[in-house]
Amino acid sequence: MSLSRLDLRGVPASEMAAKLSRPSLEQSFPTEAVGAILAEVRSGGDAAVRDLTHRFDGVEVDSLRVPEEALREAREAIATPLREALELAWSRILAFHLDEVRPESEFVLDGVRVRRLVRPVRRAGLYAPGGRARYPSTVLMCAAPAVVAGVEEIALCVPPGRDGSVARESLAAAAIAGIAEVYRVGGAQAVGALAFGTETVRPVDVIVGPGNRFVAEAKRQVSGMVGVPSAFTGPSEVVVIADSTTPASWAAVDVVVQAEHGPDGLAWLVTWSEEVAAAVEEEVARLVESSPRRSDLSSTLASGGSVVLVDGPAEAVSVANVVAPEHLELLFEGAEALLPLVRSAGAVFCGAFSPASIGDYLAGPNHVLPTARSARFSSALRVDDFLTHIHAVCVEPDAIARLGPYVEVIAEAEGLPAHALSVRLRREGTG
């Protein structure tokens, strides 16, 4: 197993974008196929979801919703060390998102008082992958900011296994997070069920959570009908920047970590050392060969694995800014000093002892991150993704008298006489 090579030594930062093969939404995402799935769910409801689950997951599911008793049983049935780890992760993720909350405030100027009202959406839909692996951590990550925001109702969709059940670990995480409404539905049909509603699944206001390209494309297509954070949370990505101060085995395993998530991802090593590049490539090959997920790793690294050679740390960060990866690891001494150069990344991990894996589970910040270069304009999942902001404007009578003429001038310039009249009547005190 070898990674592709790209030598950018001597290339100015201004020319790097043209030299790089960048992940983008111009990949062949299944727009038509997903549209057909969503249309089926919208018109067929539960029956369509069951049929699609059988078609794509190979399992007959009679009841979409997982009984609440199964959640409680799962929490008690999982191994104690795992339960304790999930509970610790939940407390740390929750603590981080609690720190995001800002109190409502008020702006007053010249007789006009504007109150800023922050309101949670009433109902949120969460998606946690479950086909190739189980992701209790994603259940916690999606739930924490919704809980902190004060969302009244939270519905979780997880793809069923071949036996029609949801992984016990994911159900236990749902129980730890206080989620009672869980559905054994995955893929684009899950997004459709959450967006449109079916006989069993009531529609939601916001849908969050990572998934494969079908899930990501489905969220894109229903955006506007429901809230979908602007980050494109698709296949996983990592750019590891490393030098000889970090063991090659550490850098290699961090390249491999994100490739474990399956196809269509991206895993890059960027370095200014030929020796480091060769050593990391050798370690990657060894890890892939010995991994029980060798097939997934080989597929992902064959299409999305690269080693990029540059002149130094600053140039390496320039490469990362073009790629705008989900995860960016700075595995070299003095990494934090280069943070001012970082413009586009979902999350940054500084120093040899800061692997992305700790961010995946319990550092605190959310691991639902932008992919496919959407880190250029969006961010990690946060409390604000479950909130709406309302402005309540209160105007004193004397303020209308002072400010009204200006409103009238602008309204008349725009050809909107009723706008002007609504202020003039109040200014003149007529009914």
PDB file of all heavy atoms in Angstrom, residues 125-131 133-140 142 155-160 166 170 183 185-187 190 194 208-211 215 367:
ATOM      1  N   GLY A 125     -33.562  16.638  14.636  1.00  0.00           N
ATOM      2  CA  GLY A 125     -33.268  15.291  14.170  1.00  0.00           C
ATOM      3  C   GLY A 125     -31.758  15.061  14.143  1.00  0.00           C
ATOM      4  O   GLY A 125     -31.025  15.864  13.566  1.00  0.00           O
ATOM      5  N   LEU A 126     -31.308  13.994  14.770  1.00  0.00           N
ATOM      6  CA  LEU A 126     -29.893  13.648  14.805  1.00  0.00           C
ATOM      7  C   LEU A 126     -29.655  12.406  13.952  1.00  0.00           C
ATOM      8  O   LEU A 126     -30.487  11.492  13.934  1.00  0.00           O
ATOM      9  CB  LEU A 126     -29.419  13.367  16.235  1.00  0.00           C
ATOM     10  CG  LEU A 126     -29.864  14.313  17.347  1.00  0.00           C
ATOM     11  CD1 LEU A 126     -29.235  13.882  18.666  1.00  0.00           C
ATOM     12  CD2 LEU A 126     -29.537  15.758  17.016  1.00  0.00           C
ATOM     13  N   TYR A 127     -28.492  12.365  13.272  1.00  0.00           N
ATOM     14  CA  TYR A 127     -28.131  11.183  12.496  1.00  0.00           C
ATOM     15  C   TYR A 127     -26.769  10.688  12.960  1.00  0.00           C
ATOM     16  O   TYR A 127     -25.803  11.462  13.000  1.00  0.00           O
ATOM     17  CB  TYR A 127     -28.075  11.509  11.002  1.00  0.00           C
ATOM     18  CG  TYR A 127     -27.830  10.278  10.147  1.00  0.00           C
ATOM     19  CD1 TYR A 127     -28.902   9.554   9.646  1.00  0.00           C
ATOM     20  CD2 TYR A 127     -26.548   9.832   9.880  1.00  0.00           C
ATOM     21  CE1 TYR A 127     -28.693   8.404   8.885  1.00  0.00           C
ATOM     22  CE2 TYR A 127     -26.321   8.687   9.131  1.00  0.00           C
ATOM     23  CZ  TYR A 127     -27.397   7.977   8.634  1.00  0.00           C
ATOM     24  OH  TYR A 127     -27.186   6.838   7.895  1.00  0.00           O
ATOM     25  N   ALA A 128     -26.703   9.425  13.311  1.00  0.00           N
ATOM     26  CA  ALA A 128     -25.424   8.805  13.676  1.00  0.00           C
ATOM     27  C   ALA A 128     -25.209   7.605  12.760  1.00  0.00           C
ATOM     28  O   ALA A 128     -26.078   6.734  12.655  1.00  0.00           O
ATOM     29  CB  ALA A 128     -25.427   8.350  15.128  1.00  0.00           C
ATOM     30  N   PRO A 129     -24.080   7.536  12.061  1.00  0.00           N
ATOM     31  CA  PRO A 129     -23.821   6.388  11.176  1.00  0.00           C
ATOM     32  C   PRO A 129     -23.822   5.083  11.964  1.00  0.00           C
ATOM     33  O   PRO A 129     -23.611   5.068  13.171  1.00  0.00           O
ATOM     34  CB  PRO A 129     -22.433   6.693  10.608  1.00  0.00           C
ATOM     35  CG  PRO A 129     -22.257   8.170  10.779  1.00  0.00           C
ATOM     36  CD  PRO A 129     -22.987   8.514  12.045  1.00  0.00           C
ATOM     37  N   GLY A 130     -24.018   3.987  11.250  1.00  0.00           N
ATOM     38  CA  GLY A 130     -24.030   2.711  11.956  1.00  0.00           C
ATOM     39  C   GLY A 130     -23.843   1.517  11.060  1.00  0.00           C
ATOM     40  O   GLY A 130     -24.018   0.391  11.493  1.00  0.00           O
ATOM     41  N   GLY A 131     -23.513   1.738   9.800  1.00  0.00           N
ATOM     42  CA  GLY A 131     -23.389   0.611   8.892  1.00  0.00           C
ATOM     43  C   GLY A 131     -22.060  -0.102   9.022  1.00  0.00           C
ATOM     44  O   GLY A 131     -21.987  -1.263   9.408  1.00  0.00           O
ATOM     45  N   ALA A 133     -19.504   0.726  11.038  1.00  0.00           N
ATOM     46  CA  ALA A 133     -19.026   0.721  12.425  1.00  0.00           C
ATOM     47  C   ALA A 133     -20.107   1.336  13.288  1.00  0.00           C
ATOM     48  O   ALA A 133     -21.068   1.919  12.785  1.00  0.00           O
ATOM     49  CB  ALA A 133     -17.721   1.514  12.542  1.00  0.00           C
ATOM     50  N   ARG A 134     -19.970   1.187  14.594  1.00  0.00           N
ATOM     51  CA  ARG A 134     -20.938   1.810  15.504  1.00  0.00           C
ATOM     52  C   ARG A 134     -20.329   3.092  16.057  1.00  0.00           C
ATOM     53  O   ARG A 134     -19.128   3.165  16.306  1.00  0.00           O
ATOM     54  CB  ARG A 134     -21.315   0.832  16.621  1.00  0.00           C
ATOM     55  CG  ARG A 134     -20.140   0.279  17.389  1.00  0.00           C
ATOM     56  CD  ARG A 134     -20.562  -0.848  18.314  1.00  0.00           C
ATOM     57  NE  ARG A 134     -20.969  -2.031  17.587  1.00  0.00           N
ATOM     58  CZ  ARG A 134     -20.140  -2.994  17.197  1.00  0.00           C
ATOM     59  NH1 ARG A 134     -18.853  -2.895  17.478  1.00  0.00           N
ATOM     60  NH2 ARG A 134     -20.578  -4.025  16.544  1.00  0.00           N
ATOM     61  N   TYR A 135     -21.159   4.112  16.256  1.00  0.00           N
ATOM     62  CA  TYR A 135     -20.645   5.432  16.640  1.00  0.00           C
ATOM     63  C   TYR A 135     -21.414   6.024  17.827  1.00  0.00           C
ATOM     64  O   TYR A 135     -22.127   7.016  17.675  1.00  0.00           O
ATOM     65  CB  TYR A 135     -20.713   6.399  15.457  1.00  0.00           C
ATOM     66  CG  TYR A 135     -19.775   6.040  14.336  1.00  0.00           C
ATOM     67  CD1 TYR A 135     -20.241   5.361  13.215  1.00  0.00           C
ATOM     68  CD2 TYR A 135     -18.427   6.363  14.400  1.00  0.00           C
ATOM     69  CE1 TYR A 135     -19.383   5.025  12.175  1.00  0.00           C
ATOM     70  CE2 TYR A 135     -17.559   6.034  13.366  1.00  0.00           C
ATOM     71  CZ  TYR A 135     -18.040   5.363  12.262  1.00  0.00           C
ATOM     72  OH  TYR A 135     -17.193   5.033  11.240  1.00  0.00           O
ATOM     73  N   PRO A 136     -21.269   5.428  19.018  1.00  0.00           N
ATOM     74  CA  PRO A 136     -21.912   6.042  20.182  1.00  0.00           C
ATOM     75  C   PRO A 136     -21.392   7.448  20.442  1.00  0.00           C
ATOM     76  O   PRO A 136     -22.122   8.306  20.957  1.00  0.00           O
ATOM     77  CB  PRO A 136     -21.556   5.091  21.327  1.00  0.00           C
ATOM     78  CG  PRO A 136     -20.343   4.336  20.860  1.00  0.00           C
ATOM     79  CD  PRO A 136     -20.523   4.200  19.382  1.00  0.00           C
ATOM     80  N   SER A 137     -20.136   7.706  20.070  1.00  0.00           N
ATOM     81  CA  SER A 137     -19.575   9.046  20.290  1.00  0.00           C
ATOM     82  C   SER A 137     -20.328  10.098  19.490  1.00  0.00           C
ATOM     83  O   SER A 137     -20.533  11.223  19.954  1.00  0.00           O
ATOM     84  CB  SER A 137     -18.093   9.067  19.915  1.00  0.00           C
ATOM     85  OG  SER A 137     -17.906   8.696  18.559  1.00  0.00           O
ATOM     86  N   THR A 138     -20.763   9.755  18.271  1.00  0.00           N
ATOM     87  CA  THR A 138     -21.504  10.713  17.451  1.00  0.00           C
ATOM     88  C   THR A 138     -22.873  11.000  18.049  1.00  0.00           C
ATOM     89  O   THR A 138     -23.381  12.125  17.954  1.00  0.00           O
ATOM     90  CB  THR A 138     -21.630  10.186  16.010  1.00  0.00           C
ATOM     91  OG1 THR A 138     -20.321  10.050  15.460  1.00  0.00           O
ATOM     92  CG2 THR A 138     -22.431  11.141  15.145  1.00  0.00           C
ATOM     93  N   VAL A 139     -23.477   9.993  18.660  1.00  0.00           N
ATOM     94  CA  VAL A 139     -24.752  10.224  19.366  1.00  0.00           C
ATOM     95  C   VAL A 139     -24.560  11.303  20.429  1.00  0.00           C
ATOM     96  O   VAL A 139     -25.343  12.249  20.530  1.00  0.00           O
ATOM     97  CB  VAL A 139     -25.260   8.917  20.004  1.00  0.00           C
ATOM     98  CG1 VAL A 139     -26.507   9.193  20.852  1.00  0.00           C
ATOM     99  CG2 VAL A 139     -25.561   7.874  18.932  1.00  0.00           C
ATOM    100  N   LEU A 140     -23.499  11.181  21.215  1.00  0.00           N
ATOM    101  CA  LEU A 140     -23.231  12.160  22.270  1.00  0.00           C
ATOM    102  C   LEU A 140     -22.932  13.534  21.680  1.00  0.00           C
ATOM    103  O   LEU A 140     -23.418  14.563  22.184  1.00  0.00           O
ATOM    104  CB  LEU A 140     -22.055  11.705  23.135  1.00  0.00           C
ATOM    105  CG  LEU A 140     -22.167  10.352  23.823  1.00  0.00           C
ATOM    106  CD1 LEU A 140     -20.913  10.093  24.672  1.00  0.00           C
ATOM    107  CD2 LEU A 140     -23.420  10.261  24.685  1.00  0.00           C
ATOM    108  N   CYS A 142     -23.807  14.886  18.804  1.00  0.00           N
ATOM    109  CA  CYS A 142     -24.984  15.542  18.222  1.00  0.00           C
ATOM    110  C   CYS A 142     -25.976  15.979  19.295  1.00  0.00           C
ATOM    111  O   CYS A 142     -26.628  17.017  19.169  1.00  0.00           O
ATOM    112  CB  CYS A 142     -25.675  14.609  17.234  1.00  0.00           C
ATOM    113  SG  CYS A 142     -24.764  14.316  15.713  1.00  0.00           S
ATOM    114  N   ALA A 155     -35.004  13.530  18.099  1.00  0.00           N
ATOM    115  CA  ALA A 155     -35.187  12.229  17.455  1.00  0.00           C
ATOM    116  C   ALA A 155     -33.860  11.797  16.840  1.00  0.00           C
ATOM    117  O   ALA A 155     -33.187  12.588  16.180  1.00  0.00           O
ATOM    118  CB  ALA A 155     -36.261  12.319  16.380  1.00  0.00           C
ATOM    119  N   LEU A 156     -33.488  10.557  17.059  1.00  0.00           N
ATOM    120  CA  LEU A 156     -32.220  10.018  16.573  1.00  0.00           C
ATOM    121  C   LEU A 156     -32.472   8.906  15.570  1.00  0.00           C
ATOM    122  O   LEU A 156     -33.266   8.001  15.830  1.00  0.00           O
ATOM    123  CB  LEU A 156     -31.403   9.469  17.752  1.00  0.00           C
ATOM    124  CG  LEU A 156     -30.159   8.635  17.423  1.00  0.00           C
ATOM    125  CD1 LEU A 156     -29.092   9.485  16.738  1.00  0.00           C
ATOM    126  CD2 LEU A 156     -29.611   7.988  18.699  1.00  0.00           C
ATOM    127  N   CYS A 157     -31.794   8.975  14.415  1.00  0.00           N
ATOM    128  CA  CYS A 157     -31.843   7.891  13.432  1.00  0.00           C
ATOM    129  C   CYS A 157     -30.482   7.210  13.348  1.00  0.00           C
ATOM    130  O   CYS A 157     -29.450   7.886  13.244  1.00  0.00           O
ATOM    131  CB  CYS A 157     -32.218   8.429  12.054  1.00  0.00           C
ATOM    132  SG  CYS A 157     -33.980   8.790  11.850  1.00  0.00           S
ATOM    133  N   VAL A 158     -30.484   5.877  13.412  1.00  0.00           N
ATOM    134  CA  VAL A 158     -29.268   5.077  13.286  1.00  0.00           C
ATOM    135  C   VAL A 158     -29.575   3.912  12.347  1.00  0.00           C
ATOM    136  O   VAL A 158     -30.592   3.241  12.514  1.00  0.00           O
ATOM    137  CB  VAL A 158     -28.805   4.518  14.654  1.00  0.00           C
ATOM    138  CG1 VAL A 158     -27.471   3.815  14.503  1.00  0.00           C
ATOM    139  CG2 VAL A 158     -28.710   5.619  15.693  1.00  0.00           C
ATOM    140  N   PRO A 159     -28.728   3.634  11.353  1.00  0.00           N
ATOM    141  CA  PRO A 159     -28.977   2.497  10.461  1.00  0.00           C
ATOM    142  C   PRO A 159     -29.022   1.189  11.245  1.00  0.00           C
ATOM    143  O   PRO A 159     -28.225   0.982  12.164  1.00  0.00           O
ATOM    144  CB  PRO A 159     -27.771   2.520   9.516  1.00  0.00           C
ATOM    145  CG  PRO A 159     -27.249   3.916   9.578  1.00  0.00           C
ATOM    146  CD  PRO A 159     -27.510   4.381  10.984  1.00  0.00           C
ATOM    147  N   PRO A 160     -29.923   0.290  10.888  1.00  0.00           N
ATOM    148  CA  PRO A 160     -29.990  -0.998  11.573  1.00  0.00           C
ATOM    149  C   PRO A 160     -28.913  -1.947  11.074  1.00  0.00           C
ATOM    150  O   PRO A 160     -28.423  -1.826   9.950  1.00  0.00           O
ATOM    151  CB  PRO A 160     -31.375  -1.524  11.196  1.00  0.00           C
ATOM    152  CG  PRO A 160     -31.621  -0.945   9.828  1.00  0.00           C
ATOM    153  CD  PRO A 160     -30.967   0.417   9.846  1.00  0.00           C
ATOM    154  N   VAL A 166     -30.386  -1.928  16.366  1.00  0.00           N
ATOM    155  CA  VAL A 166     -29.396  -0.857  16.444  1.00  0.00           C
ATOM    156  C   VAL A 166     -28.325  -1.283  17.439  1.00  0.00           C
ATOM    157  O   VAL A 166     -28.627  -1.895  18.469  1.00  0.00           O
ATOM    158  CB  VAL A 166     -30.049   0.459  16.895  1.00  0.00           C
ATOM    159  CG1 VAL A 166     -29.003   1.542  17.143  1.00  0.00           C
ATOM    160  CG2 VAL A 166     -31.053   0.932  15.847  1.00  0.00           C
ATOM    161  N   SER A 170     -24.677   2.289  20.690  1.00  0.00           N
ATOM    162  CA  SER A 170     -25.344   3.526  20.280  1.00  0.00           C
ATOM    163  C   SER A 170     -26.596   3.770  21.107  1.00  0.00           C
ATOM    164  O   SER A 170     -26.904   4.918  21.477  1.00  0.00           O
ATOM    165  CB  SER A 170     -25.693   3.470  18.787  1.00  0.00           C
ATOM    166  OG  SER A 170     -24.516   3.418  18.004  1.00  0.00           O
ATOM    167  N   TYR A 183     -34.864   5.777  16.068  1.00  0.00           N
ATOM    168  CA  TYR A 183     -35.409   5.037  14.932  1.00  0.00           C
ATOM    169  C   TYR A 183     -34.307   4.240  14.240  1.00  0.00           C
ATOM    170  O   TYR A 183     -33.196   4.724  14.060  1.00  0.00           O
ATOM    171  CB  TYR A 183     -36.058   5.995  13.923  1.00  0.00           C
ATOM    172  CG  TYR A 183     -37.200   6.759  14.531  1.00  0.00           C
ATOM    173  CD1 TYR A 183     -37.007   8.045  15.024  1.00  0.00           C
ATOM    174  CD2 TYR A 183     -38.469   6.189  14.639  1.00  0.00           C
ATOM    175  CE1 TYR A 183     -38.048   8.749  15.610  1.00  0.00           C
ATOM    176  CE2 TYR A 183     -39.520   6.884  15.221  1.00  0.00           C
ATOM    177  CZ  TYR A 183     -39.299   8.162  15.708  1.00  0.00           C
ATOM    178  OH  TYR A 183     -40.332   8.851  16.304  1.00  0.00           O
ATOM    179  N   VAL A 185     -33.334   3.573  11.242  1.00  0.00           N
ATOM    180  CA  VAL A 185     -33.397   3.993   9.845  1.00  0.00           C
ATOM    181  C   VAL A 185     -32.089   4.694   9.501  1.00  0.00           C
ATOM    182  O   VAL A 185     -31.589   5.504  10.297  1.00  0.00           O
ATOM    183  CB  VAL A 185     -34.566   4.973   9.584  1.00  0.00           C
ATOM    184  CG1 VAL A 185     -34.662   5.290   8.100  1.00  0.00           C
ATOM    185  CG2 VAL A 185     -35.884   4.430  10.103  1.00  0.00           C
ATOM    186  N   GLY A 186     -31.533   4.385   8.334  1.00  0.00           N
ATOM    187  CA  GLY A 186     -30.295   5.034   7.932  1.00  0.00           C
ATOM    188  C   GLY A 186     -30.374   5.592   6.529  1.00  0.00           C
ATOM    189  O   GLY A 186     -31.422   5.535   5.868  1.00  0.00           O
ATOM    190  N   GLY A 187     -29.264   6.144   6.057  1.00  0.00           N
ATOM    191  CA  GLY A 187     -29.157   6.607   4.685  1.00  0.00           C
ATOM    192  C   GLY A 187     -30.011   7.822   4.364  1.00  0.00           C
ATOM    193  O   GLY A 187     -30.538   8.508   5.250  1.00  0.00           O
ATOM    194  N   ALA A 190     -33.467   8.101   5.920  1.00  0.00           N
ATOM    195  CA  ALA A 190     -33.582   8.646   7.282  1.00  0.00           C
ATOM    196  C   ALA A 190     -33.716  10.160   7.238  1.00  0.00           C
ATOM    197  O   ALA A 190     -34.533  10.754   7.954  1.00  0.00           O
ATOM    198  CB  ALA A 190     -32.362   8.245   8.110  1.00  0.00           C
ATOM    199  N   LEU A 194     -36.990  12.348   8.527  1.00  0.00           N
ATOM    200  CA  LEU A 194     -36.890  13.448   9.485  1.00  0.00           C
ATOM    201  C   LEU A 194     -37.379  14.759   8.888  1.00  0.00           C
ATOM    202  O   LEU A 194     -37.984  15.588   9.581  1.00  0.00           O
ATOM    203  CB  LEU A 194     -35.439  13.598   9.949  1.00  0.00           C
ATOM    204  CG  LEU A 194     -34.875  12.469  10.820  1.00  0.00           C
ATOM    205  CD1 LEU A 194     -33.367  12.623  10.985  1.00  0.00           C
ATOM    206  CD2 LEU A 194     -35.557  12.446  12.194  1.00  0.00           C
ATOM    207  N   VAL A 208     -29.001  17.280  11.928  1.00  0.00           N
ATOM    208  CA  VAL A 208     -27.543  17.359  12.057  1.00  0.00           C
ATOM    209  C   VAL A 208     -26.965  15.952  12.123  1.00  0.00           C
ATOM    210  O   VAL A 208     -27.674  14.986  12.407  1.00  0.00           O
ATOM    211  CB  VAL A 208     -27.122  18.141  13.329  1.00  0.00           C
ATOM    212  CG1 VAL A 208     -27.762  19.521  13.361  1.00  0.00           C
ATOM    213  CG2 VAL A 208     -27.482  17.366  14.601  1.00  0.00           C
ATOM    214  N   GLY A 209     -25.666  15.865  11.882  1.00  0.00           N
ATOM    215  CA  GLY A 209     -24.960  14.603  12.027  1.00  0.00           C
ATOM    216  C   GLY A 209     -24.236  14.214  10.749  1.00  0.00           C
ATOM    217  O   GLY A 209     -24.679  14.551   9.645  1.00  0.00           O
ATOM    218  N   PRO A 210     -23.118  13.512  10.871  1.00  0.00           N
ATOM    219  CA  PRO A 210     -22.322  13.113   9.713  1.00  0.00           C
ATOM    220  C   PRO A 210     -22.876  11.866   9.052  1.00  0.00           C
ATOM    221  O   PRO A 210     -23.685  11.139   9.631  1.00  0.00           O
ATOM    222  CB  PRO A 210     -20.954  12.837  10.335  1.00  0.00           C
ATOM    223  CG  PRO A 210     -21.295  12.315  11.699  1.00  0.00           C
ATOM    224  CD  PRO A 210     -22.514  13.079  12.141  1.00  0.00           C
ATOM    225  N   GLY A 211     -22.421  11.608   7.832  1.00  0.00           N
ATOM    226  CA  GLY A 211     -22.835  10.400   7.130  1.00  0.00           C
ATOM    227  C   GLY A 211     -22.071  10.250   5.839  1.00  0.00           C
ATOM    228  O   GLY A 211     -21.191  11.061   5.529  1.00  0.00           O
ATOM    229  N   VAL A 215     -26.102  10.475   2.563  1.00  0.00           N
ATOM    230  CA  VAL A 215     -26.668  11.234   3.686  1.00  0.00           C
ATOM    231  C   VAL A 215     -26.379  12.724   3.513  1.00  0.00           C
ATOM    232  O   VAL A 215     -27.264  13.575   3.679  1.00  0.00           O
ATOM    233  CB  VAL A 215     -26.097  10.728   5.026  1.00  0.00           C
ATOM    234  CG1 VAL A 215     -26.536  11.623   6.179  1.00  0.00           C
ATOM    235  CG2 VAL A 215     -26.553   9.290   5.277  1.00  0.00           C
ATOM    236  N   HIS A 367     -17.189  16.786  17.359  1.00  0.00           N
ATOM    237  CA  HIS A 367     -16.480  16.098  16.278  1.00  0.00           C
ATOM    238  C   HIS A 367     -17.302  16.052  14.993  1.00  0.00           C
ATOM    239  O   HIS A 367     -16.875  15.458  13.990  1.00  0.00           O
ATOM    240  CB  HIS A 367     -16.007  14.702  16.714  1.00  0.00           C
ATOM    241  CG  HIS A 367     -17.034  13.613  16.662  1.00  0.00           C
ATOM    242  ND1 HIS A 367     -16.845  12.387  17.258  1.00  0.00           N
ATOM    243  CD2 HIS A 367     -18.261  13.520  16.087  1.00  0.00           C
ATOM    244  CE1 HIS A 367     -17.887  11.596  17.051  1.00  0.00           C
ATOM    245  NE2 HIS A 367     -18.757  12.267  16.334  1.00  0.00           N
TER     246      HIS A 367
END
